[in-house]
PDB file of all heavy atoms in Angstrom:
ATOM      1  N   TYR F  51      83.611 104.730  86.699  1.00 95.00           N
ATOM      2  CA  TYR F  51      84.441 103.399  86.780  1.00 95.00           C
ATOM      3  C   TYR F  51      85.092 103.245  88.195  1.00 95.00           C
ATOM      4  O   TYR F  51      85.748 102.222  88.423  1.00 95.00           O
ATOM      5  CB  TYR F  51      85.435 103.494  85.760  1.00 95.00           C
ATOM      6  CG  TYR F  51      84.911 103.225  84.375  1.00 95.00           C
ATOM      7  CD1 TYR F  51      84.604 104.317  83.670  1.00 95.00           C
ATOM      8  CD2 TYR F  51      84.940 102.057  83.825  1.00 95.00           C
ATOM      9  CE1 TYR F  51      84.005 104.150  82.241  1.00 95.00           C
ATOM     10  CE2 TYR F  51      84.463 101.901  82.559  1.00 95.00           C
ATOM     11  CZ  TYR F  51      83.977 102.977  81.703  1.00 95.00           C
ATOM     12  OH  TYR F  51      83.526 102.757  80.483  1.00 95.00           O
ATOM     13  N   ALA F  52      84.729 104.145  89.158  1.00 95.00           N
ATOM     14  CA  ALA F  52      85.468 104.092  90.432  1.00 95.00           C
ATOM     15  C   ALA F  52      84.784 103.236  91.483  1.00 95.00           C
ATOM     16  O   ALA F  52      84.719 103.718  92.703  1.00 95.00           O
ATOM     17  CB  ALA F  52      85.662 105.528  90.970  1.00 95.00           C
ATOM     18  N   ASP F  53      84.282 102.170  91.168  1.00 97.00           N
ATOM     19  CA  ASP F  53      83.660 101.166  92.190  1.00 97.00           C
ATOM     20  C   ASP F  53      84.631 100.795  93.267  1.00 97.00           C
ATOM     21  O   ASP F  53      84.271 100.814  94.491  1.00 97.00           O
ATOM     22  CB  ASP F  53      83.031  99.957  91.587  1.00 97.00           C
ATOM     23  CG  ASP F  53      81.901 100.366  90.543  1.00 97.00           C
ATOM     24  OD1 ASP F  53      81.217 101.391  90.768  1.00 97.00           O
ATOM     25  OD2 ASP F  53      81.603  99.430  89.634  1.00 97.00           O
ATOM     26  N   PHE F  54      85.726 100.400  92.800  1.00 98.00           N
ATOM     27  CA  PHE F  54      86.763  99.976  93.970  1.00 98.00           C
ATOM     28  C   PHE F  54      87.225 101.195  94.805  1.00 98.00           C
ATOM     29  O   PHE F  54      87.246 101.101  95.997  1.00 98.00           O
ATOM     30  CB  PHE F  54      87.975  99.327  93.260  1.00 98.00           C
ATOM     31  CG  PHE F  54      89.222  99.300  94.149  1.00 98.00           C
ATOM     32  CD1 PHE F  54      89.332  98.443  95.140  1.00 98.00           C
ATOM     33  CD2 PHE F  54      90.295 100.166  93.714  1.00 98.00           C
ATOM     34  CE1 PHE F  54      90.470  98.301  95.913  1.00 98.00           C
ATOM     35  CE2 PHE F  54      91.494 100.132  94.624  1.00 98.00           C
ATOM     36  CZ  PHE F  54      91.518  99.166  95.584  1.00 98.00           C
ATOM     37  N   GLN F  55      87.376 102.291  94.118  1.00 97.00           N
ATOM     38  CA  GLN F  55      87.830 103.452  94.833  1.00 97.00           C
ATOM     39  C   GLN F  55      86.814 103.917  95.877  1.00 97.00           C
ATOM     40  O   GLN F  55      87.030 104.383  96.953  1.00 97.00           O
ATOM     41  CB  GLN F  55      88.038 104.646  93.892  1.00 97.00           C
ATOM     42  CG  GLN F  55      89.459 104.447  93.038  1.00 97.00           C
ATOM     43  CD  GLN F  55      89.326 103.520  91.925  1.00 97.00           C
ATOM     44  OE1 GLN F  55      88.212 103.012  91.530  1.00 97.00           O
ATOM     45  NE2 GLN F  55      90.468 103.092  91.357  1.00 97.00           N
ATOM     46  N   LYS F  56      85.432 103.784  95.453  1.00 98.00           N
ATOM     47  CA  LYS F  56      84.381 104.126  96.416  1.00 98.00           C
ATOM     48  C   LYS F  56      84.375 103.222  97.552  1.00 98.00           C
ATOM     49  O   LYS F  56      84.044 103.607  98.742  1.00 98.00           O
ATOM     50  CB  LYS F  56      83.077 104.176  95.591  1.00 98.00           C
ATOM     51  CG  LYS F  56      82.916 105.252  94.654  1.00 98.00           C
ATOM     52  CD  LYS F  56      81.723 105.062  93.860  1.00 98.00           C
ATOM     53  CE  LYS F  56      81.723 106.146  92.718  1.00 98.00           C
ATOM     54  NZ  LYS F  56      80.520 106.038  91.861  1.00 98.00           N
ATOM     55  N   ILE F  57      84.624 101.938  97.452  1.00 98.00           N
ATOM     56  CA  ILE F  57      84.662 101.048  98.539  1.00 98.00           C
ATOM     57  C   ILE F  57      85.800 101.337  99.558  1.00 98.00           C
ATOM     58  O   ILE F  57      85.645 101.505 100.688  1.00 98.00           O
ATOM     59  CB  ILE F  57      84.915  99.532  98.051  1.00 98.00           C
ATOM     60  CG1 ILE F  57      83.724  99.005  97.246  1.00 98.00           C
ATOM     61  CG2 ILE F  57      85.327  98.650  99.234  1.00 98.00           C
ATOM     62  CD1 ILE F  57      84.047  97.777  96.505  1.00 98.00           C
ATOM     63  N   VAL F  58      86.942 101.738  98.985  1.00 98.00           N
ATOM     64  CA  VAL F  58      88.063 102.169  99.868  1.00 98.00           C
ATOM     65  C   VAL F  58      87.796 103.399 100.554  1.00 98.00           C
ATOM     66  O   VAL F  58      88.120 103.542 101.696  1.00 98.00           O
ATOM     67  CB  VAL F  58      89.400 102.191  99.053  1.00 98.00           C
ATOM     68  CG1 VAL F  58      90.546 102.802  99.767  1.00 98.00           C
ATOM     69  CG2 VAL F  58      89.764 100.934  98.448  1.00 98.00           C
ATOM     70  N   LEU F  59      87.209 104.395  99.860  1.00 98.00           N
ATOM     71  CA  LEU F  59      86.921 105.740 100.383  1.00 98.00           C
ATOM     72  C   LEU F  59      85.941 105.530 101.598  1.00 98.00           C
ATOM     73  O   LEU F  59      86.075 106.139 102.616  1.00 98.00           O
ATOM     74  CB  LEU F  59      86.329 106.671  99.359  1.00 98.00           C
ATOM     75  CG  LEU F  59      85.980 108.003  99.849  1.00 98.00           C
ATOM     76  CD1 LEU F  59      87.067 108.721 100.472  1.00 98.00           C
ATOM     77  CD2 LEU F  59      85.390 108.772  98.731  1.00 98.00           C
ATOM     78  N   ASP F  60      84.918 104.732 101.385  1.00 98.00           N
ATOM     79  CA  ASP F  60      83.897 104.533 102.384  1.00 98.00           C
ATOM     80  C   ASP F  60      84.598 103.972 103.710  1.00 98.00           C
ATOM     81  O   ASP F  60      84.253 104.372 104.810  1.00 98.00           O
ATOM     82  CB  ASP F  60      82.725 103.693 102.041  1.00 98.00           C
ATOM     83  CG  ASP F  60      81.863 104.342 100.967  1.00 98.00           C
ATOM     84  OD1 ASP F  60      81.893 105.672 100.899  1.00 98.00           O
ATOM     85  OD2 ASP F  60      81.158 103.660 100.324  1.00 98.00           O
ATOM     86  N   ARG F  61      85.403 103.082 103.560  1.00 98.00           N
ATOM     87  CA  ARG F  61      86.215 102.450 104.597  1.00 98.00           C
ATOM     88  C   ARG F  61      86.998 103.473 105.379  1.00 98.00           C
ATOM     89  O   ARG F  61      87.176 103.500 106.662  1.00 98.00           O
ATOM     90  CB  ARG F  61      86.994 101.105 104.255  1.00 98.00           C
ATOM     91  CG  ARG F  61      86.074 100.011 103.781  1.00 98.00           C
ATOM     92  CD  ARG F  61      86.982  98.790 103.648  1.00 98.00           C
ATOM     93  NE  ARG F  61      86.263  97.708 103.069  1.00 98.00           N
ATOM     94  CZ  ARG F  61      86.815  96.423 102.807  1.00 98.00           C
ATOM     95  NH1 ARG F  61      88.009  96.246 103.294  1.00 98.00           N
ATOM     96  NH2 ARG F  61      86.088  95.542 102.263  1.00 98.00           N
ATOM     97  N   LEU F  62      87.753 104.214 104.558  1.00 98.00           N
ATOM     98  CA  LEU F  62      88.647 105.159 105.127  1.00 98.00           C
ATOM     99  C   LEU F  62      87.926 106.298 106.007  1.00 98.00           C
ATOM    100  O   LEU F  62      88.320 106.776 106.971  1.00 98.00           O
ATOM    101  CB  LEU F  62      89.479 105.854 104.088  1.00 98.00           C
ATOM    102  CG  LEU F  62      90.608 106.681 104.551  1.00 98.00           C
ATOM    103  CD1 LEU F  62      91.662 105.837 105.339  1.00 98.00           C
ATOM    104  CD2 LEU F  62      91.415 107.326 103.341  1.00 98.00           C
ATOM    105  N   LEU F  63      86.796 106.720 105.336  1.00 98.00           N
ATOM    106  CA  LEU F  63      85.993 107.716 106.039  1.00 98.00           C
ATOM    107  C   LEU F  63      85.487 107.322 107.450  1.00 98.00           C
ATOM    108  O   LEU F  63      85.307 108.020 108.434  1.00 98.00           O
ATOM    109  CB  LEU F  63      84.804 108.215 105.142  1.00 98.00           C
ATOM    110  CG  LEU F  63      85.213 109.040 103.936  1.00 98.00           C
ATOM    111  CD1 LEU F  63      84.033 109.146 102.986  1.00 98.00           C
ATOM    112  CD2 LEU F  63      85.617 110.453 104.368  1.00 98.00           C
ATOM    113  N   ALA F  64      85.174 105.956 107.542  1.00 98.00           N
ATOM    114  CA  ALA F  64      84.773 105.444 108.745  1.00 98.00           C
ATOM    115  C   ALA F  64      85.824 105.362 109.789  1.00 98.00           C
ATOM    116  O   ALA F  64      85.526 105.159 111.036  1.00 98.00           O
ATOM    117  CB  ALA F  64      84.200 103.934 108.510  1.00 98.00           C
ATOM    118  N   MET F  65      87.044 105.640 109.405  1.00 98.00           N
ATOM    119  CA  MET F  65      88.186 105.580 110.403  1.00 98.00           C
ATOM    120  C   MET F  65      88.523 106.924 110.886  1.00 98.00           C
ATOM    121  O   MET F  65      89.544 107.052 111.699  1.00 98.00           O
ATOM    122  CB  MET F  65      89.332 104.916 109.723  1.00 98.00           C
ATOM    123  CG  MET F  65      89.112 103.527 109.235  1.00 98.00           C
ATOM    124  SD  MET F  65      90.510 102.787 108.331  1.00 98.00           S
ATOM    125  CE  MET F  65      91.791 102.752 109.569  1.00 98.00           C
TER     126      MET F  65
END
Side-chain angles (χ1 to χ4, degrees):
Y51 288 85
D53 293 339
F54 164 69
Q55 286 75 14
K56 291 171 184 174
I57 290 171
V58 173
L59 177 59
D60 287 346
R61 291 192 188 184
L62 189 64
L63 287 166
M65 299 174 66

